[in-house]
Amino acid sequence: MPLRNLLDPALKIVLFGGKGGVGKTTSASATALYLAQQQYKTLLISTDPAHSLSDSFERSIGSDITEVQEVKRLSVLEIDADRAFAKFRLEHEPEIRKLFDTSTGLDEEDIESFMSMPVPGVDEVMGFKTIVDIIDEAKFEKYVVDTAPTGHALRLITSPRLLDDWVKVMARLRWKYRYMVTRFAGKYQPDEADDFLFAMKKTVKKVQKLLQDKTQSEFIAVTIPEAMAIEETKRFLVQLKRLDVAVKQLIVNNVMESEGCDFCRQRKHGQSGYLAVLRKEFSNHELTMIPLQPTEVKGVEGLQGIMHHLFSS
């Protein structure tokens, strides 16, 4: 069954996730290629720290949006979380410093140490903030996201909650500061630190709304007919459901179809049981099969073949 509903004009973002090595990058790249060929101006984004888009398209792709010359309306981007955080800190360091200076007991040396230390989870937070900022610019009609393997992808999806928790903590500290100023000065005048917290809260709400709005976003899981991949996919989808992220479609990659040799027949027979499990365990999902390819899929021409399997009836 081909992938469906991706041409709906209301759909903005399509995310691909799953276990490492199951074909997420290839599936995401082929989908972005299809959308571009269907006249949608499309941006393909990688949030995986170990980016593979460069390998998939056989060209250098970096942290700046780059057009794919052979394909009209298709651009690609590999998000550099460190660079995104450095830019974020440069833009907002005065407000963050003011927050800590007025709302905590930290001295200048402590604040400097905090500002220079790595922040847990910043990769995922900056990754999604970058995506939302790009969507806000409205230069593209469709956004396809190639996520990292399962654990990283889940952190990406939960990153709005992480940022929201940070904002809530800082807001509580800020309210204490506001109370003290009002108590002793008689009134409180909101400043740039308050504006910063409000902007961060708006970002959190925007991301959560985008992820949970089933008309604007679609999450497609990718797996292969092997025991470990199936079990990880089951756990992944359970966790996504808890986060109110719906998964309606599942791509099953590397399916053996040929019976032209003894190895092929044995491989196909071995996969048959796993395919039966997939159909049973994911009976509420639409399954799209991609046959095992004889060679590594690379370049636009190779992706065209995968696109055919994903979208042809």
Side-chain angles (χ1 to χ4, degrees):
M1 180 179 292
L3 293 179
R4 299 199 304 164
N5 303 322
L6 301 192
L7 296 181
D8 185 342
L11 183 69
K12 284 185 178 292
I13 184 169
V14 185
L15 302 100
F16 288 81
K19 187 178 183 295
V22 297
K24 295 184 302 298
T25 299
T26 299
S27 298
S29 299
T31 297
L33 183 64
Y34 172 76
L35 292 172
Q37 291 184 354
Q38 298 301 312
Q39 312 301 313
Y40 284 102
K41 192 173 182 183
T42 303
L43 178 62
L44 172 61
I45 304 169
S46 171
T47 64
D48 189 344
H51 299 295
S52 300
L53 292 185
S54 296
D55 296 329
S56 190
F57 282 92
E58 295 186 306
R59 72 190 61 230
S60 177
I61 296 170
S63 54
D64 294 314
I65 295 175
T66 305
E67 292 183 358
V68 178
Q69 295 300 324
E70 306 98 305
V71 186
K72 291 182 179 179
R73 296 173 292 276
L74 178 60
S75 297
V76 290
L77 168 68
E78 293 178 335
I79 291 177
D80 183 334
D82 290 337
R83 180 181 174 185
F85 181 57
K87 179 183 178 183
F88 175 81
R89 189 167 63 181
L90 183 65
E91 291 176 351
H92 299 290
E93 185 167 346
E95 296 100 313
I96 297 173
R97 282 184 176 276
K98 187 157 192 172
L99 276 173
F100 283 102
D101 183 43
T102 58
S103 307
T104 72
L106 298 177
D107 59 24
E108 182 60 30
E109 185 177 349
D110 292 332
I111 294 173
E112 185 62 38
S113 296
F114 180 86
M115 294 295 293
S116 62
M117 70 185 293
V119 182
V122 72
D123 285 9
E124 293 79 14
V125 172
M126 287 299 107
F128 232 124
K129 186 179 185 307
T130 300
I131 292 171
V132 171
D133 289 344
I134 291 171
I135 291 176
D136 280 347
E137 292 174 0
K139 293 181 179 179
F140 297 89
E141 298 166 292
K142 300 283 187 181
Y143 304 85
V144 179
V145 181
D146 172 33
T147 69
T150 309
H152 191 289
L154 284 170
R155 292 195 297 274
L156 180 74
I157 300 299
T158 57
S159 63
R161 295 188 179 188
L162 176 65
L163 182 56
D164 192 39
D165 288 342
W166 184 86
V167 169
K168 286 176 180 176
V169 170
M170 296 310 301
R172 283 197 294 268
L173 293 173
R174 194 67 176 165
W175 273 105
K176 292 179 181 179
Y177 168 71
R178 181 173 182 169
Y179 172 79
M180 294 300 294
V181 171
T182 304
R183 182 80 180 268
F184 290 100
K187 64 178 181 178
Y188 176 80
Q189 184 66 38
D191 57 23
E192 62 271 22
D194 296 295
D195 294 339
F196 170 72
L197 283 178
F198 181 69
M200 289 298 97
K201 186 66 176 178
K202 283 179 65 177
T203 296
V204 169
K205 287 186 175 296
K206 194 177 297 182
V207 174
Q208 289 176 330
K209 181 180 178 182
L210 179 63
L211 284 174
Q212 295 171 0
D213 185 341
K214 296 167 182 58
T215 61
Q216 290 193 78
S217 70
E218 173 103 15
F219 198 106
I220 299 175
V222 185
T223 191
I224 55 177
E226 294 181 6
M228 289 179 63
I230 294 172
E231 288 304 311
E232 186 163 325
T233 302
K234 286 164 59 178
R235 292 192 295 270
F236 188 31
L237 266 58
V238 167
Q239 290 169 308
L240 287 174
K241 186 175 182 180
R242 288 173 182 164
L243 295 168
D244 199 25
V245 175
V247 179
K248 296 175 288 187
Q249 304 188 79
L250 178 69
I251 293 172
V252 184
N253 193 21
N254 291 349
V255 178
M256 176 60 78
E257 292 188 338
S258 173
E259 295 183 344
C261 65
D262 186 55
F263 169 81
C264 299
R265 287 190 291 274
Q266 289 187 48
R267 187 68 182 271
K268 185 175 182 180
H269 177 73
Q271 286 187 351
S272 62
Y274 294 127
L275 290 172
V277 170
L278 282 163
R279 293 187 179 97
K280 179 181 178 181
E281 294 288 346
F282 302 103
S283 58
N284 293 327
H285 300 75
E286 296 180 358
L287 273 56
T288 300
M289 307 289 180
I290 301 179
L292 180 65
Q293 302 299 299
T295 59
E296 188 176 4
V297 178
K298 282 189 174 185
V300 172
E301 186 176 346
L303 292 171
Q304 292 272 13
I306 300 300
M307 184 184 77
H308 173 79
H309 292 297
L310 289 177
F311 294 99
S312 294
S313 300

